[in-house]
Amino acid sequence: MADTLDVLELRIICPPTTEVGLEVRPIIGGRDVFADSHYQSVKPRHLLGSAGQLRATATPREVCIAKTGCVEECCGAVHVTIRRETDHVLWTDWHNPMDKDFSVADCRFSAAQYDAEVARAEADRRWQWPGALVADLLEAKLTGDGRGLAAWDCELEAIWDSWKEPDRIDVVLRHPRNCGEREDHWLQLGIRLPISADDPARQAEQLEARLTAEDPRATAQVWGGSQRAAEKLGYPWPPEYPWDS
């Protein structure tokens, strides 16, 4: 690894809501890492939200920092390992499990510069609207111990929030739990939920109660998975997507 220190800038891209492209782009030494590539940097909610994904500790943390336009199980995503070593922060082991040719050189930052830049980016909330905040809080609640959804043999796959449609979120569940996409007996279940301008913390609390107190499979739609699983559980096939209606 080079002796010279890299400088990190986290550039938050907030286009008009009529466009797509909400991203946190890592600029390292003045170079946009994913410029002129097919990768799109991860949304601010995932990198700068309550999970503190970019904060560096002595314990290494693998972070998904960029994705393709496809699901990770198919085309992969870019991961990097972040760790703190005394006065430095290291980004190492850049990789895409589905692309053996992908590589980025390891980076070493001054811990002071790195911490200040992450704190500045986390404080910049231009990208955040009520739906994004509710999604962040709800995701933290549903992934805390997983017991609420486990009662229904479900696990949280993702919560989608839309820069273009700020008044809703989509909760995406996988049933049964601990089942990979390459198996032929799983379902991806989707629930579209309206979001208001009310207190985001209160909305997240109410939505968590709704999703865990009653079987979410009763009101969910099939958004993916296998026909075999759908037929076994009495769901219609093929999948129904709300964005196609």
Side-chain angles (χ1 to χ4, degrees):
M1 187 176 295
D3 293 332
T4 57
L5 292 178
D6 296 292
V7 176
L8 177 68
E9 176 191 352
L10 298 170
R11 188 172 298 167
I12 301 175
I13 307 298
C14 294
T17 54
T18 54
E19 302 176 9
V20 296
L22 191 65
E23 302 177 67
V24 179
R25 299 192 71 88
I27 313 298
I28 298 176
R31 183 176 69 90
D32 186 334
V33 175
F34 299 112
D36 304 318
S37 77
H38 66 285
Y39 292 105
Q40 182 179 38
S41 301
V42 174
K43 290 182 178 181
R45 178 169 74 80
H46 297 291
L47 289 182
L48 303 174
S50 61
Q53 288 282 73
L54 294 182
R55 297 176 193 173
T57 67
T59 301
R61 170 190 288 156
E62 184 175 301
V63 175
C64 177
I65 202 164
K67 297 183 177 182
T68 67
C70 188
V71 296
E72 184 168 351
E73 288 79 2
C74 178
C75 295
V78 176
H79 296 256
V80 64
T81 298
I82 300 174
R83 74 179 187 276
R84 182 182 300 272
E85 285 189 355
T86 60
D87 296 332
H88 299 134
V89 172
L90 281 61
W91 282 18
T92 61
D93 190 27
W94 297 73
H95 67 282
N96 177 351
M98 301 299 180
D99 182 359
K100 295 182 178 179
D101 295 328
F102 176 85
S103 66
V104 174
D106 292 347
C107 305
R108 182 186 294 270
F109 309 99
S110 156
Q113 188 273 322
Y114 181 93
D115 291 344
E117 178 60 10
V118 171
R120 181 203 63 78
E122 288 181 339
D124 183 351
R125 294 291 164 172
R126 289 173 298 159
W127 57 270
Q128 191 167 306
W129 62 96
L133 185 52
V134 172
D136 186 39
L137 295 171
L138 181 60
E139 191 169 69
K141 288 178 177 293
L142 292 176
T143 56
D145 56 27
R147 288 183 297 178
L149 292 174
W152 314 112
D153 200 14
C154 292
E155 61 187 352
L156 183 69
E157 180 175 314
I159 298 181
W160 298 337
D161 56 293
S162 173
W163 178 247
K164 298 178 69 174
E165 298 180 76
D167 59 349
R168 55 87 174 164
I169 60 174
D170 293 325
V171 175
V172 187
L173 306 176
R174 187 171 298 193
H175 170 76
R177 300 170 66 231
N178 304 316
C179 184
E181 284 197 0
R182 298 190 184 279
E183 300 182 53
D184 67 354
H185 58 282
W186 66 279
L187 285 178
Q188 182 190 70
L189 302 172
I191 305 171
R192 173 155 286 187
L193 300 170
I195 299 300
S196 70
D198 295 341
D199 176 48
R202 180 61 176 161
Q203 290 187 75
E205 182 179 320
Q206 293 172 337
L207 292 176
E208 180 198 22
R210 169 180 169 181
L211 291 167
T212 57
E214 300 178 1
D215 189 345
R217 296 171 297 179
T219 55
Q221 289 181 303
V222 174
W223 286 358
S226 71
Q227 183 173 355
R228 174 184 171 187
E231 292 174 346
K232 180 179 178 181
L233 294 171
Y235 287 98
W237 190 266
E240 300 178 31
Y241 302 111
W243 48 88
D244 289 339
S245 58

